[in-house]
């Protein structure tokens, strides 16, 4: 160790703050510092001594700079620590952040359903909420004055047609099934234009639907998801397989699922899909009205009359459709007993989700 | 429909318990919704009969399905045919043969009207029908048993010894059995005597010809009326009866006479009397269809290995005629199954009796296909996600609203939002239009929450709105609305920005999330927003939304009076930005900026200008192209906005940070010094401002 280095270290030991360190640094390595002063001696030396001396000064310089840098880190940390210790935090105070808002239970269930079907290669389609009489009824084999219209008390749009349920009438769609017609029609037109065969069809159509009904379990507006699968060789057994798989995914693999005959004008055979009561496990309770089963969706094989309306060849293609109410599924999942809660915008309810 | 378990048992021999029968019915298409045990041990099952199954609106109809499932013989009641004991000289004339396909009338003289026996009264009561007298009760009993509505007239009260079935040519006054005087419109199918209407066909008899205690001679009517006509009459009069319910769903035309004869047998047994006339007028014959069916189709469609014999057996048990031709069938459905028209209808019959439970669940095998999936779903889910983590809760409100919204929010006449779609039959009289904007719903949500003492309300809604177009389908657009309310209560940490900037801070990431950069903000012209605290959002000259603070007057109109109303809102269309939400994934949506390879040079400007200048104006001056033809300015950000001490009244200080960078070379300090100085000079000369000391 050179004398200069020893002297520097001694001075460094006395330094206790970054300010003092900066002062020391400037005194040694600054423009008019010690190092510069040493270098200024060069011209006074004999030529053969100059190289060795220069090298020595440079070694000293590197040594000093490195020590300064090291010690500076130590001092900075020390100073930060002492500053913080004068202002200690209360670790139990809440952090500063925006509390996340609630998701709407209908949105949660819709997304869950969409994810399951998208994972199976289904696409997501949409249709208008104000529908023509044709798409909402006629094309789905629900003719004028048919008793099936008893099931659906429909909102009609003013000035759309002279009589209710006539041609040219517009309604707030009573189900998402019109999307079936719209999508199949589009496929048939594309296939005719391009001269290509009809591709396999599988989609779901989520959306709002409307019926003139309002009480604890009925809402004039609610959400449905429609599903359609059309291809060659689609069977009723396939419908059972897919819906059973779907319900097992949503409600757990052990939930029993059964299909029983029902009636929808646009499917034949038609089925009501029941699952074992979530609450009593089949023992019978208020939710399942003592039957041990809960009606969860409607389904069936696409009625050939519907295929005919959209121009599909029933000799080649078969398919199935299904539909379910989202609020109903959400109510079962979350134990909600009043459908109106979904539409009141009550944050005490919505923030739980 | 209510069905007695004991009654059902009269037609089939079975040992199954009521619960087992309920299960059989439910699983073969007649859902049992509830059951009730009576004092005498009988069990009444409440069935939900779907509209296609008119044949099951009777005890025998239900028994037929049970017998098919249990593979047991159906025991039908014996029907005696009656010949005319004498010519009563009575005539039935059907004028509108397309509305009345068959009319059977049977005349019985010398009946003794009295209460019906207990067993019959009990069955009627347990099926929900009030007993009246033996004659009327028998017609109702046969209606329940066979599903064929019957009517008994007091023969002496019918004028002119004839019945005429015709549609009303003009509005007609009729007093029905319930004592109500009604006027039915032209076209209503009527049963008339020589003087005029004596019954609303298929719906209700007239009071004038009703059977009373003193009646001795009666005419029993059993007919087939066209369903749509009965439905219209029922709807127009608001009268719904056991008869109209069945006629609307189509009755069994071949069973018309049988039902009448069954009633006659019971009348003679229980009321005495003798038959003096049997008239069966059947002008419009029913042709039963013949439907081809193949075993392969049944197997393929259902996905089960069912045999030809099983198919044939099931159909025959349901009273279908089956002709077999080497594995294929020609099937003729019975006259009470008008719902059966096509092969698929037959397959359903086979499936429901075979048992849906016996069909195995099999996942479909589908070939892969590229679907034309739109980004919309994904973008909306991202949008919901970011709003959620910014503290907003999603609400969903009804699409219905009231015209009062326009007054409450000062929406001017002629505004697009007034082009509403009206609902003809709303549930609430005033809520008869569909929403064109979402703000009023959110304000109602806010008010509702404030009524529960909410101190902070941060909510949003994404929904379709509807605009009248005048040609059928309304225009359906997608909107997002956001509302942020704070009661100004005490908080642990202070908010870093004023409410206007907080709501704007919600809007900006949404726009950029929708890849929307070319929007423009202008002072808002919405009357419901505070004048100097609001802006409208434009894209390509079209207004897509607004944001800002709700005006105190509007808050007061919604009865949300606060000493300092602090309600920030924004609403915009999200389906029509410069990268539409429906965008399909066909091309890259934007080109990434790759300028980061060369070092940047950074400079700040702090300038004092008149209040009238907005920071955006200065940024526009900085970015002026003619000073920077090479586009060396990579970014400009404001980092200070200050008014107050050391700044003259009416002025403000703005400070900007500019990053310069060249695409393909390293910049020289000297060139940026020159460019920067030029920019500073330009700002000063354009604004008359001064560099901040």
């Amino acid at each position: 160790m050179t004398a200069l280095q020893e002297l520097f270290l001694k001075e460094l030991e006395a330094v206790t703050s970054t300010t003092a360190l900066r002062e020391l640094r400037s005194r040694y390595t600054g423009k008019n510092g010690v190092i510069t002063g040493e270098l200024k001696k060069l011209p006074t030396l004999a030529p053969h001594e100059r190289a060795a001396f220069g090298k020595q000064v440079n070694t000293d310089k590197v040594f000093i700079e490195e020590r300064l840098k090291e010690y500076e880190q130590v001092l900075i940390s020390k100073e930060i620590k002492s500053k913080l210790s004068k202002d200690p935090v209360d670790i139990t105070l809440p952090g500063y952040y925006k509390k996340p808002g609630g998701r709407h239970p209908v949105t949660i269930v819709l997304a869950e359903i969409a994810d399951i079907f998208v994972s199976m290669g289904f696409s997501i389609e949409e249709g208008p909420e104000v529908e023509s009489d044709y798409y909402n009824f006629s094309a789905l084999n629900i003719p004028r004055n048919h008793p099936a219209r008893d099931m659906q008390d429909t909102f009609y749009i003013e000035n759309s047609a002279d009589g209710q349920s006539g041609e040219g009438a517009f309604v707030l769609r009573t189900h998402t099934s019109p999307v079936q017609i719209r999508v199949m029609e589009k496929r048939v037109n594309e296939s005719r234009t391009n001269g290509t065969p009809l591709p396999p069809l599988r989609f779901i159509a989520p959306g709002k639907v409307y019926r003139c009904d309002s009480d604890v379990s009925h809402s004039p507006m609610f959400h449905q998801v429609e599903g359609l699968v059309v291809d060659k060789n689609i069977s009723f057994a396939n419908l059972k397989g897919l819906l059973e798989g779907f319900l097992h995914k949503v409600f757990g693999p052990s939930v029993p699922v059964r299909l029983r005959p029902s009636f929808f004008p646009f499917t034949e055979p038609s089925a009501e899909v029941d699952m074992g009561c979530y609450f009593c496990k089949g023992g019978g309770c208020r939710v399942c009205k003592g039957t041990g089963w809960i009606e969860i969706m409607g389904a069936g094989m696409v009625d050939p009359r519907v295929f005919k309306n959209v121009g599909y060849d029933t000799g080649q293609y078969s398919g199935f459709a299904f539909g379910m109410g989202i609020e109903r599924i959400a109510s079962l999942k979350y134990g909600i007993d009043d459908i109106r809660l979904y539409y009141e915008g009550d944050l005490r309810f919505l923030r739980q989700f | 429909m209510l069905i007695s378990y004991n009654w059902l048992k009269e037609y089939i021999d079975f040992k199954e318990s009521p619960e087992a029968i309920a299960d059989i019915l439910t699983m073969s298409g007649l859902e049992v919704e509830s059951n009730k045990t009576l004092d005498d041990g009988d069990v009444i099952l409440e069935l939900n009969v779907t509209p296609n199954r008119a044949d099951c609106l009777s005890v025998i109809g239900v028994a037929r399905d049970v017998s098919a499932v249990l593979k047991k013989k159906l025991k039908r009641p014996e029907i005696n045919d009656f010949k005319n004991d004498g010519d009563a000289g009575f005539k039935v004339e059907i004028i509108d043969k397309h509305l009345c396909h068959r009319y059977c009338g049977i005349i019985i003289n010398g009946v003794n009207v009295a209460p019906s026996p207990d067993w019959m009264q009990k069955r009627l009561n347990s099926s929900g029908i009030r007993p009246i007298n033996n004659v009327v009760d028998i017609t109702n009993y046969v209606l329940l048993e066979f599903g064929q509505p019957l009517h008994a007239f007091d023969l002496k009260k019918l004028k002119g010894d004839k019945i005429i079935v015709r549609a009303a040519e003009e509005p007609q006054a009729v007093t029905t059995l319930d004592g109500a005087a009604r006027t039915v419109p032209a076209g209503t199918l009527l049963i008339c005597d020589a003087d005029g209407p004596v019954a609303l066909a298929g719906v209700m008899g007239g009071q004038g010809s009703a059977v009373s205690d003193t009646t001795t001679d009666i005419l029993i009517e059993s007919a087939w009326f066209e369903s749509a006509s009965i439905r219209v009459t029922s709807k127009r009069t608001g009268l719904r009866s056991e008869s109209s319910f069945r006629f609307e769903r189509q009755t069994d035309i071949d069973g018309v006479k049988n039902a009448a004869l069954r009633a006659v047998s019971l009348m003679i047994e229980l009321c005495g009397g003798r038959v003096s006339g049997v008239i069966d007028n059947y002008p419009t014959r029913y042709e039963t269809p013949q439907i081809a069916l193949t075993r392969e189709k049944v197997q393929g469609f259902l996905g089960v290995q069912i045999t030809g014999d099983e198919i044939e057996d099931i159909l025959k048990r349901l009273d279908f005629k089956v002709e077999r031709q080497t594995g294929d069938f020609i099937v003729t459905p019975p006259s009470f199954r008008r719902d059966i028209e096509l092969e698929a209808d037959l397959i359903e019959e086979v499936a429901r009796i075979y048992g849906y439970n016996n069909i195995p669940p099999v996942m479909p095998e589908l070939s892969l296909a590229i679907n034309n999936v739109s980004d919309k779903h994904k973008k909306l889910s991202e949008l919901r996600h970011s709003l959620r983590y910014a503290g907003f809760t999603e609400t969903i409100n009804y699409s219905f609203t009231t015209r009062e919204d326009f007054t409450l929010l000062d929406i001017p006449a002629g505004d697009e939002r007034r082009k509403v779609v009206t609902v003809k039959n709303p549930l609430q009289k005033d809520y008869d239009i569909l929403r064109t904007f979402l703000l009023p719903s959110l304000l109602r949500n806010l008010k509702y929450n404030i009524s529960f003492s909410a101190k902070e309300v941060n909510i949003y809604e994404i929904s379709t709105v509807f605009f009248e177009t005048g040609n059928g389908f309304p225009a359906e657009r997608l909107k997002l609305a956001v509302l942020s309310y704070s009661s100004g209560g005490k908080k642990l940490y202070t908010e870093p920005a004023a409410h206007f900037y907080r709501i704007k801070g919600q809007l900006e990431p949404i726009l950029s999330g929708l890849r929307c950069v070319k929007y423009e903000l202008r002072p808002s012209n919405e009357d419901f927003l505070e004048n100097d605290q609001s802006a409208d959002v434009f894209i390509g000259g079209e207004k897509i939304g607004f944001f800002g603070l709700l005006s105190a007057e509007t808050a007061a109109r919604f009865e949300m009076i606060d000493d300092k109303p602090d309600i920030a809102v924004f609403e915009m269309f999200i389906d029509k930005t410069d990268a539409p939400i429906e965008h399909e994934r066909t091309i890259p949506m934007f080109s990434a900026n790759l300028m980061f390879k060369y070092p940047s040079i950074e400079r700040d400007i702090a300038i004092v200008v008149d209040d009238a200048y907005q920071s955006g104006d200065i940024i526009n001056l900085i970015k002026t192209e003619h000073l920077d033809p090479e586009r060396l300015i990579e970014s400009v950000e404001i980092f200070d906005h200050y008014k107050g001490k050391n700044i003259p009244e009416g002025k403000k200080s703005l400070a900007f940070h500019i990053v310069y960078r060249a695409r393909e070379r390293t910049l020289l300090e000297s060139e940026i010094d020159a460019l920067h100085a030029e920019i500073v000079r330009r700002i000063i000369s354009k604004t008359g401002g001064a560099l901040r000391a």
Side-chain angles (χ1 to χ4, degrees):
Chain A
M1 195 171 292
T2 63
L4 183 62
Q5 290 178 10
E6 267 176 45
L7 181 67
F8 167 76
L9 284 182
K10 213 169 192 175
E11 286 201 57
L12 188 64
E13 253 171 59
V15 166
T16 56
S17 71
T18 46
T19 324
L21 183 110
R22 265 195 293 272
E23 190 270 328
L24 182 68
R25 171 181 281 146
S26 138
R27 205 142 47 69
Y28 274 86
T29 63
K31 239 184 211 168
N32 300 312
V34 177
I35 299 289
T36 318
E38 286 296 298
L39 287 175
K40 276 182 183 159
K41 290 179 187 163
L42 267 178
T44 66
L45 296 177
H48 67 275
E49 289 170 334
R50 283 180 193 170
F53 183 80
K55 205 174 168 190
Q56 183 53 51
V57 173
N58 202 43
T59 312
D60 288 346
K61 187 187 171 198
V62 170
F63 177 88
I64 288 167
E65 278 174 343
E66 276 175 4
R67 295 290 91 73
L68 279 168
K69 207 169 165 191
E70 275 168 26
Y71 198 51
E72 190 178 27
Q73 289 301 321
V74 174
L75 284 177
I76 288 173
S77 305
K78 233 184 219 168
E79 282 176 7
I80 291 173
K81 278 201 182 87
S82 95
K83 202 171 166 191
L84 287 179
S85 70
K86 279 178 201 146
D87 188 13
V89 296
D90 175 350
I91 57 168
T92 60
L93 270 184
Y96 176 73
Y97 79 121
K98 278 268 182 209
K99 269 188 198 140
R103 293 185 295 165
H104 199 285
V106 165
T107 304
I108 299 176
V109 172
L110 268 175
E112 188 184 347
I113 292 169
D115 281 351
I116 294 170
F117 284 104
V118 167
S119 81
M120 292 191 284
F122 281 59
S123 62
I124 298 173
E125 303 281 353
E126 287 187 324
E129 291 175 34
V130 172
E131 260 300 2
S132 67
D133 175 86
Y134 175 75
Y135 285 108
N136 196 70
F137 293 125
S138 308
L140 289 160
N141 193 36
I142 312 174
R144 233 181 281 187
N145 282 328
H146 194 285
R149 291 200 188 196
D150 275 359
M151 290 174 159
Q152 300 152 344
D153 284 340
T154 307
F155 288 111
Y156 283 84
I157 298 301
E158 193 78 71
N159 301 328
S160 58
D162 0 7
Q164 284 191 356
S165 71
E167 291 298 320
F170 284 84
V171 301
L172 279 165
R173 65 176 175 189
T174 57
H175 45 188
T176 38
S177 308
V179 184
Q180 286 183 29
I181 304 296
R182 288 180 172 274
V183 173
M184 284 195 282
E185 249 179 21
K186 200 172 138 206
R187 291 290 179 107
V188 169
N189 288 337
E190 280 167 4
S191 134
R192 279 183 191 147
T193 315
N194 308 332
T196 50
L198 287 163
L201 184 60
R202 54 224 150 160
F203 70 83
I204 55 164
K208 287 175 182 161
V209 300
Y210 302 84
R211 294 185 197 173
C212 308
D213 221 346
S214 186
D215 59 38
V216 173
S217 48
H218 297 91
S219 167
M221 181 187 91
F222 59 101
H223 296 75
Q224 274 191 343
V225 169
E226 186 83 6
L228 185 70
V229 172
V230 179
D231 203 352
K232 292 167 181 168
N233 307 317
I234 296 292
S235 71
F236 192 83
N238 293 153
L239 167 67
K240 266 188 93 167
L242 187 89
L243 294 187
E244 206 175 280
F246 165 72
L247 287 171
H248 285 169
K249 184 77 185 158
V250 177
F251 289 100
S254 60
V255 70
V257 173
R258 74 172 189 190
L259 273 68
R260 61 185 161 80
S262 187
F263 171 70
F264 305 107
F266 39 96
T267 52
E268 191 83 20
S270 301
E272 206 70 65
V273 183
D274 296 342
M275 61 171 204
C277 181
Y278 215 48
F279 299 95
C280 62
K281 307 285 173 215
C285 67
R286 194 179 56 88
V287 175
C288 61
K289 293 183 205 147
T291 61
W293 294 94
I294 296 178
E295 221 172 275
I296 195 82
M297 34 194 329
M301 300 299 288
V302 177
D303 194 299
R305 299 160 184 91
V306 172
F307 275 139
K308 199 179 150 222
N309 288 338
V310 293
Y312 262 71
D313 173 9
T314 49
Q316 271 202 71
Y317 293 94
S318 56
F320 59 77
F322 52 88
M324 62 195 114
I326 303 310
E327 283 80 351
R328 179 158 179 76
I329 294 177
S331 293
L332 288 171
K333 283 187 82 112
Y334 302 118
I336 295 164
D337 59 3
D338 186 343
I339 195 169
R340 291 170 293 203
L341 279 168
Y342 294 109
Y343 308 106
E344 282 171 346
D346 189 334
L347 286 173
R348 296 171 304 173
F349 171 70
L350 294 170
R351 292 206 61 135
Q352 303 171 76
F353 298 96
Chain B
M1 193 184 61
L2 301 172
I3 283 276
S4 147
Y5 169 79
N6 285 345
W7 195 354
L8 202 57
K9 245 180 158 172
E10 277 180 20
Y11 307 105
I12 328 161
D13 287 320
F14 61 72
K15 294 200 167 56
E16 276 76 6
S17 67
E19 291 73 31
I21 291 297
D23 192 54
I24 285 170
L25 290 170
T26 297
M27 292 310 289
S28 60
L30 297 166
E31 185 196 1
V32 176
E33 291 187 317
S34 68
N35 59 62
K36 195 173 85 188
T37 306
L38 301 182
D39 293 343
D40 63 358
D42 192 10
V43 176
I44 303 300
L45 305 174
E46 188 188 355
L47 300 190
N48 174 16
V49 181
T50 51
N52 59 325
R53 295 302 305 278
D55 63 300
C56 287
L57 295 174
S58 64
V59 187
I60 288 183
V62 174
R64 187 186 303 114
D65 264 28
V66 175
S67 80
V69 176
L70 293 177
K71 303 191 182 186
K72 291 219 164 119
K73 205 175 146 37
L74 183 67
K75 298 184 287 181
R76 294 161 210 266
E78 244 172 68
I79 307 281
N80 299 317
D81 201 358
F82 290 91
K83 299 279 176 278
N84 290 359
D85 282 4
D87 183 10
F90 199 88
K91 294 262 181 313
V92 170
E93 194 184 335
I94 303 175
I95 309 274
D96 289 292
K97 296 181 173 64
H98 63 292
L99 298 180
C100 174
H101 294 193
R102 186 176 187 180
Y103 195 106
C104 179
I106 299 185
I107 291 163
I108 307 176
N109 297 116
V111 296
N112 180 22
V113 176
S116 56
D118 280 353
W119 62 266
M120 183 175 277
Q121 292 205 18
K122 204 182 241 172
R123 282 199 171 159
L124 292 179
N125 272 323
S126 62
S127 305
I129 293 181
R130 193 167 51 89
I132 302 202
N133 57 47
N134 49 7
V135 171
V136 174
D137 290 357
I138 287 166
T139 62
N140 283 330
Y141 185 82
V142 175
L143 170 136
L144 291 172
E145 190 179 36
F146 284 81
Q148 170 65 43
L150 302 176
H151 185 66
F153 293 99
D154 185 328
L155 189 66
K156 286 183 177 156
K157 291 176 188 160
L158 295 177
K159 307 286 184 310
D161 280 346
K162 64 156 72 170
I163 283 289
I164 305 157
V165 187
R166 60 168 174 84
E169 282 165 2
E170 53 195 34
Q172 190 101 45
V174 183
T175 302
T176 41
L177 273 176
D178 55 2
R182 301 165 191 278
T183 304
V184 294
T188 305
L189 189 65
L190 299 172
I191 309 299
C192 304
D193 64 7
D195 281 2
V198 292
L200 292 178
V203 179
M204 195 172 273
Q207 200 176 37
S209 58
V211 171
S212 68
D213 294 350
T214 56
T215 301
T216 54
D217 302 333
I218 56 171
L219 169 71
I220 295 175
E221 167 198 286
S222 180
W224 195 96
F225 300 120
E226 203 269 320
S227 59
S229 154
I230 303 305
R231 186 179 162 81
V232 170
T233 306
S234 168
K235 216 170 181 178
R236 285 186 181 157
T237 55
L239 271 176
R240 307 203 60 181
S241 62
E242 293 284 341
S243 294
S244 69
F245 182 69
R246 285 168 177 80
F247 280 124
E248 279 178 32
R249 282 161 174 71
Q250 295 196 322
T251 49
D252 175 16
I253 198 161
D254 284 356
V256 161
K257 192 175 175 191
N258 265 0
L261 292 173
R262 167 72 170 154
V264 169
S265 300
L266 287 168
M267 297 248 182
I268 288 170
E269 188 189 327
L270 301 175
C271 323
R274 63 189 171 79
V275 173
S276 67
V278 177
I279 303 140
D280 184 10
N281 201 339
Y282 189 176
T284 313
R285 290 267 156 191
Y286 175 59
E287 304 276 342
T288 44
Q290 294 202 319
I291 307 161
L293 182 69
T294 68
R295 181 171 51 90
E296 286 71 25
K297 188 69 191 272
V298 178
Q299 291 180 340
F301 207 70
L302 297 180
V304 285
Q305 291 307 307
I306 186 170
T307 65
D309 286 347
E310 279 176 291
I311 294 169
E312 183 177 350
D313 185 45
I314 286 172
L315 291 172
K316 280 183 168 168
R317 276 187 270 135
L318 291 170
D319 286 341
F320 289 66
K321 274 193 210 119
V322 183
E323 273 177 64
R324 195 144 173 198
Q325 304 164 330
T326 64
D328 294 357
F329 311 93
I330 300 290
V331 183
T332 310
S335 59
F336 50 81
R337 291 305 303 270
R338 289 190 186 226
D339 58 312
I340 307 293
E341 297 169 337
L342 306 174
E343 191 183 44
D345 303 329
L346 292 173
I347 296 175
E348 176 172 71
E349 292 305 297
V350 172
R352 67 183 187 86
I353 302 300
Y354 182 79
Y356 283 12
N357 273 348
N358 297 319
I359 298 172
V362 181
M363 271 288 184
E365 285 174 27
L366 298 167
S367 40
L368 291 176
I370 301 287
N371 287 316
N372 234 0
V373 184
S374 125
D375 272 351
K376 181 176 174 183
H377 198 70
K378 218 170 106 190
K379 281 188 185 169
L380 286 180
S381 122
E382 280 170 10
L383 186 57
R384 288 193 165 97
H385 188 81
S386 60
L387 281 161
R388 180 184 184 207
Y389 285 97
F392 291 87
T393 296
E394 184 181 18
T395 66
I396 298 179
N397 290 288
Y398 292 133
S399 298
F400 309 103
T401 192
T402 158
R403 287 188 166 81
E404 201 196 358
D405 291 351
F406 303 130
T407 344
L408 288 170
L409 292 173
D410 276 329
I411 305 299
D415 189 281
E416 197 197 19
R417 282 166 292 202
R418 283 182 179 264
K419 289 184 191 158
V420 292
V421 174
T422 308
V423 176
K424 203 180 276 184
N425 51 334
L427 279 187
Q428 264 180 286
K429 197 171 141 274
D430 294 335
Y431 280 65
D432 65 340
I433 57 169
L434 302 182
R435 293 189 294 182
T436 51
F437 66 137
L438 309 177
L439 180 59
S441 304
L442 290 190
L443 289 171
R444 289 193 182 92
N445 290 153
L446 171 62
K447 192 178 163 185
Y448 188 71
N449 281 290
I450 288 177
S451 74
F452 298 115
S453 323
K455 302 275 183 271
E456 299 270 317
V457 176
N458 293 301
I459 50 178
Y460 75 95
E461 183 174 7
I462 295 171
S463 178
T464 308
V465 291
F466 305 82
F467 297 92
E468 175 63 48
T469 55
N471 52 3
F473 285 102
E476 295 189 13
R477 304 274 316 265
L478 193 63
K479 268 194 162 178
L480 161 71
V482 177
L483 180 148
S484 166
Y485 159 83
S486 166
S487 69
K490 289 183 179 125
K491 275 189 250 172
L492 178 62
Y493 303 112
T494 48
E495 288 289 350
H499 216 160
F500 175 87
Y501 298 109
R502 297 203 314 264
I503 200 80
K504 191 182 179 218
Q506 296 311 321
L507 174 78
E508 282 163 337
I510 287 168
L511 285 165
S512 66
L514 296 170
R515 293 254 174 268
C516 182
V517 284
K518 289 178 193 150
Y519 64 89
E520 189 194 336
L521 301 181
R522 300 181 195 164
S524 178
N525 61 9
E526 300 288 5
D527 290 332
F528 53 81
L529 297 177
E530 284 294 345
N531 257 341
D532 297 320
Q533 303 281 333
S534 58
D536 288 345
V537 186
F538 283 78
I539 287 182
E542 190 200 343
K543 178 172 165 179
I544 63 155
F546 58 80
F547 69 96
L549 298 190
L550 195 75
S551 77
E553 295 88 342
T554 310
R557 271 188 224 137
F558 275 86
E559 290 158 7
M560 293 182 293
I561 304 166
D562 211 320
D563 13 331
K564 180 178 163 280
D566 195 12
I567 303 167
V569 294
F570 86 70
E571 172 155 349
M572 61 177 274
F573 287 109
I574 50 173
D575 54 354
K576 212 173 165 187
T577 56
D578 49 15
I581 200 155
E582 296 275 15
H583 184 91
E584 285 178 0
R585 267 171 279 181
T586 47
I587 45 162
M589 299 219 293
F590 76 114
S591 300
N593 185 346
L594 304 175
M595 285 164 76
F596 47 76
K597 287 178 198 157
Y598 294 91
S600 64
I601 292 177
E602 300 174 19
R603 292 283 187 276
D604 292 345
I605 300 177
I607 188 161
V608 178
V609 290
D610 279 348
D611 265 346
Y613 286 99
Q614 309 235 349
S615 64
D617 301 333
I618 310 296
I619 290 177
N620 285 340
L621 286 172
I622 293 171
K623 285 183 168 170
T624 311
E625 217 171 290
H626 76 261
L627 290 181
D628 178 24
E630 245 195 290
R631 304 279 186 112
L632 298 180
I633 296 176
E634 185 178 78
S635 67
V636 182
E637 256 173 54
I638 180 162
F639 66 90
D640 189 41
H641 176 272
Y642 175 76
K643 290 178 72 160
K645 213 180 146 195
N646 297 335
I647 302 294
E649 184 75 18
K651 299 204 183 257
K652 60 185 170 189
S653 161
L654 299 170
F656 303 87
H657 183 70
I658 307 177
V659 177
Y660 297 94
R661 199 195 304 266
R663 190 174 282 271
E664 279 164 357
R665 64 191 171 88
T666 300
L667 289 174
L668 299 173
E669 292 273 348
S670 57
E671 65 175 318
I672 292 310
D673 285 347
L675 173 57
H676 191 73
E678 193 52 50
I679 288 170
V680 171
R681 259 196 300 283
R682 179 176 166 81
I683 296 169
I684 290 171
S685 83
K686 289 276 176 188
T687 62
L691 282 183
R692 192 171 171 192

